[in-house]
Amino acid sequence: QVQLVESGGGLVQAGGSLKLSCAASGRTFSSTTMGWFRQAPGKEREFVATISWSSIWRYYVYYVDSVKGRFTISRDNAKNTVYLQMNRMKPEDTAVYYCAAAKYSRMDATMSMDDYEYWGQGTQVTVSS
């Protein structure tokens, strides 16, 4: 079992920044690929970013096209925490953001929701125009 708790959401003006955090417990964090997803009102949940597990200081990261160059996913294995730094935010970034942990240890970084089994409760991010 993996428990995930997100924090850092809130209201920000367009062009501003927010940093989301997700604290994990219950499994060796360093061996777990992590992801961020979001769900806007009336829309399906979508992939945002993923960062792979690693036994050395090298990770693979992938982003949805709409956030490339603006969002950065990172992890601190010593703190069992994954982050999502969001810069130059746009109103279309408004959504509930969810942190997720891959089903199995040492899975490759993945953009597929089906590969994630553990989810946080979500944190609301609102970008005003």
Side-chain angles (χ1 to χ4, degrees):
Q1 286 287 347
V2 177
Q3 293 78 43
L4 303 171
V5 179
E6 301 105 334
S7 62
L11 174 65
V12 64
Q13 287 189 331
S17 299
L18 278 177
K19 187 174 184 177
L20 305 183
S21 300
C22 173
S25 61
R27 183 202 280 173
T28 303
F29 181 74
S30 60
S31 299
T32 303
T33 284
M34 301 295 295
W36 285 98
F37 292 78
R38 65 186 180 186
Q39 188 166 17
K43 295 188 177 181
E44 294 188 350
R45 193 171 298 188
E46 67 169 353
F47 165 78
V48 177
T50 180
I51 185 167
S52 67
W53 74 278
S54 180
S55 60
I56 57 175
W57 293 107
R58 178 184 298 172
Y59 303 102
Y60 294 95
V61 297
Y62 301 101
Y63 300 93
V64 67
D65 286 347
S66 59
V67 308
K68 284 180 181 178
R70 301 188 298 120
F71 291 11
T72 302
I73 188 171
S74 62
R75 64 191 299 158
D76 185 338
N77 290 337
K79 296 182 178 180
N80 287 359
T81 301
V82 63
Y83 304 97
L84 186 67
Q85 176 67 49
M86 304 183 291
N87 298 328
R88 304 199 310 276
M89 297 185 73
K90 304 176 180 180
E92 50 263 43
D93 294 322
T94 295
V96 177
Y97 283 71
Y98 297 90
C99 171
K103 286 181 178 178
Y104 309 112
S105 293
R106 306 194 177 193
M107 283 184 68
D108 290 337
T110 172
M111 296 179 280
S112 172
M113 223 180 316
D114 291 341
D115 290 332
Y116 294 87
E117 183 168 0
Y118 306 100
W119 296 83
Q121 81 285 357
T123 186
Q124 176 69 47
V125 171
T126 303
V127 185
S128 63
S129 56

